[in-house]
Amino acid sequence: MTPEVQRLERLAERLRAVDPFVAPPGAKIRGWNLVLAAVEQSTAARSRAHPVRRLIVGLVAAGVLLVAGALAASADSLPDSPIYPLKGVLENVRGALAFGASDKLAYHLDLARTRLTEAEAMISRHRVDLAGTSLKALDDQLKSAALLVQTERLANPAAAVHLQDRLRQAVATDDQQLADLQVQVQTPAAAGAISQARQHATDALKLAEQPAASPTASPGGPGGHASPSHANGHASPTGSP
Amino acid sequence: MRALGKAASDDDRPLVERVRKGDQDAVRSLYERYFDRIYNYAYARLGRAEDAEDLAIDTMTKSLTRLDLFRDEGVAFSSWVYRIAHNATIDHYRRHGKMALVSLEHAPPLASADPSELAVEQLSNDDLHAAIRDLTDEQQQVLILRFFQDLTANQVAGIMGKSVGAVQALQHRALGSLERALQGRAAS
């Protein structure tokens, strides 16, 4: 250790030995009172800001509830309802979550039933235009189901037979319902639309029995022909125009 | 040397969290932990009890009411408190027009003064305090934090935003400058 370092070490030791300045008790108490007042004021200011935060959170929650409520209500909406387009959103989500040929077929057949029910409701309300659109969407769903069966036959003939049976039963049920509806309607336009829908349903069944055009043909799934991505706004949430 | 209470450390974190949640007992604990230390720091820097009291109260108020500005990311709460105290010191100097900016680091020793003749044991506390206040801001800070506040070089590095090596070098230069300042005072 050099003499300089030794000197500085001694100086450092001397500094360590210096008595600390201690605040008088009065100063510490005064300080505490002032600090406490400032902290309480700061806390009060923060809690005054809280109502604004609570209001924002409340508005966001109300918005979320409103959207969720509208979506839930739209599930039973009809083509003449302002929230009917939201029904298409829900149906698109359902379609995106349908995996496998069986699920996809169930999806299309279910939507076909829904469109038929909507067409009935529109006819009863004398909205033949919207009924026609719903019937067209019904045709599209049945056609998608038929293409699905066609494609499945290439990959799994045994499973395709089962799918074809389900499609046949669904078309038979729909056709019976359409026939009942046809005798009830009084306008030629409505009768014509129903007749056309029945013909298209029969065509879909025939299409399902035919061999697929090529191995790469569209399965007609949720992203295929007449799928939810072909949404047509107001009158048909997921079907083609 | 009389102890200044619990050494500043990183275990303030739970108390800081409680203060953020409005716990007044935690405010009291942190106040008790730091007030004397900050008062001591301020007195050493400013040399007047009234100024030290004002600065300590101001520092504690800012520390405990502006915790929203304190981000616990590698910086200890103690470092944050000392930084506030340091900034308050600079503000005080600016307001009162006193700032020791002349470095004694390279000042030649007085011709008549022999460093070996400096009897450090016989220096009074007042001499030491007065000589420290002749040093530069950084030199004062490092000597006060290291020897009066008894902080480690690592803690001082955190407060001053320097590396440990830089703090050790600064401390060495500060001691040299202090020795020269004391010699100058002795000679005059």
Side-chain angles (χ1 to χ4, degrees):
Chain A
M1 197 180 284
T2 65
E4 185 201 357
V5 172
Q6 284 177 348
R7 281 199 323 273
L8 296 183
E9 275 294 317
R10 279 207 308 277
L11 187 55
E13 281 308 308
R14 176 68 187 89
L15 287 174
R16 285 195 184 95
V18 171
D19 287 329
F21 299 111
V22 179
K28 200 167 177 179
I29 292 168
R30 270 195 304 280
W32 169 243
N33 289 334
L34 289 168
V35 167
L36 185 61
V39 167
E40 283 173 349
Q41 196 176 359
S42 163
T43 306
R46 273 205 304 275
S47 52
R48 273 198 300 277
H50 283 167
V52 177
R53 220 176 301 158
R54 278 202 296 271
L55 181 66
I56 291 168
V57 170
L59 286 174
V60 170
V64 168
L65 284 174
L66 196 66
V67 170
L71 281 172
S74 74
D76 295 324
S77 65
L78 291 169
D80 59 352
S81 163
I83 58 171
Y84 184 66
L86 290 175
K87 191 175 186 175
V89 174
L90 288 178
E91 289 176 352
N92 282 337
V93 172
R94 265 186 63 203
L97 295 174
F99 299 105
S102 180
D103 281 354
K104 286 176 183 173
L105 182 73
Y107 169 73
H108 289 302
L109 296 182
D110 189 46
L111 287 195
R113 294 285 310 159
T114 305
R115 298 291 92 85
L116 180 51
T117 306
E118 289 168 1
E120 277 186 323
M122 289 302 99
I123 285 170
S124 70
R125 293 181 190 182
H126 308 292
R127 292 297 307 270
V128 177
D129 55 333
L130 294 177
T133 310
S134 291
L135 289 172
K136 179 72 178 64
L138 158 70
D139 296 339
D140 289 340
Q141 292 298 337
L142 291 178
K143 191 176 179 187
S144 294
L147 289 169
L148 186 72
V149 173
Q150 259 193 2
T151 309
E152 186 65 9
R153 188 176 295 114
L154 292 171
N156 188 347
V161 170
H162 179 62
L163 295 182
Q164 193 172 341
D165 281 347
R166 284 167 60 191
L167 176 61
R168 192 179 298 117
Q169 285 171 18
V171 167
T173 307
D174 292 349
D175 187 61
Q176 183 60 54
Q177 200 168 335
L178 283 166
D180 292 344
L181 193 60
Q182 200 169 11
V183 296
Q184 292 169 26
V185 296
Q186 292 163 350
T187 62
I194 294 170
S195 177
Q196 198 176 25
R198 293 182 69 187
Q199 183 57 49
H200 285 156
T202 307
D203 291 346
L205 206 52
K206 286 178 186 167
L207 180 66
E209 290 165 356
Q210 289 170 7
S214 75
T216 54
S218 164
H225 180 68
S227 70
S229 63
H230 292 179
N232 188 33
H234 189 66
S236 174
T238 55
S240 294
Chain B
M1 175 181 166
R2 205 144 43 124
L4 277 170
K6 184 175 172 33
S9 64
D10 291 342
D11 63 6
D12 296 327
R13 208 166 296 157
L15 282 173
V16 169
E17 284 310 308
R18 283 171 53 197
V19 171
R20 281 183 167 136
K21 290 173 186 167
D23 186 337
Q24 217 171 82
D25 290 340
V27 175
R28 181 83 196 212
S29 298
L30 284 176
Y31 179 83
E32 290 290 341
R33 191 173 287 186
Y34 284 100
F35 182 83
D36 284 337
R37 304 185 71 86
I38 298 303
Y39 179 90
N40 179 269
Y41 173 85
Y43 203 145
R45 294 298 310 266
L46 306 178
R48 270 168 48 91
E50 296 83 355
D51 293 341
E53 183 181 329
D54 288 347
L55 190 142
I57 293 170
D58 188 38
T59 299
M60 294 313 299
T61 303
K62 282 178 181 162
S63 304
L64 295 169
T65 57
R66 302 308 311 273
L67 278 176
D68 52 320
L69 300 177
F70 171 59
R71 296 279 176 273
D72 192 7
E73 293 165 352
V75 178
F77 177 73
S78 56
S79 299
W80 193 60
V81 177
Y82 278 111
R83 283 182 191 179
I84 291 173
H86 175 68
N87 290 338
T89 309
I90 302 298
D91 286 345
H92 178 91
Y93 283 149
R94 283 186 187 138
R95 280 199 305 273
H96 295 82
K98 178 186 179 300
M99 188 77 178
L101 291 174
V102 180
S103 171
L104 298 171
E105 194 176 323
H106 304 295
L110 294 175
S112 59
D114 179 357
S116 61
E117 290 178 359
L118 186 66
V120 292
E121 290 79 9
Q122 292 170 16
L123 291 169
S124 71
N125 290 349
D126 287 346
D127 286 339
L128 285 167
H129 284 302
I132 283 175
R133 284 193 283 275
D134 286 341
L135 306 184
T136 64
D137 176 65
E138 278 197 332
Q139 289 174 344
Q140 288 186 47
Q141 205 179 358
V142 76
L143 293 184
I144 292 168
L145 293 175
R146 285 288 282 129
F147 302 118
F148 293 176
Q149 300 277 313
D150 206 22
L151 300 182
T152 65
N154 198 32
Q155 287 173 312
V156 176
I159 294 165
M160 298 184 72
K162 293 180 179 291
S163 67
V164 174
V167 166
Q168 286 167 337
L170 177 61
Q171 175 185 320
H172 183 81
R173 289 197 300 274
L175 284 170
S177 295
L178 179 63
E179 185 181 54
R180 284 186 284 280
L182 288 165
Q183 287 166 6
R185 285 177 172 273
S188 61

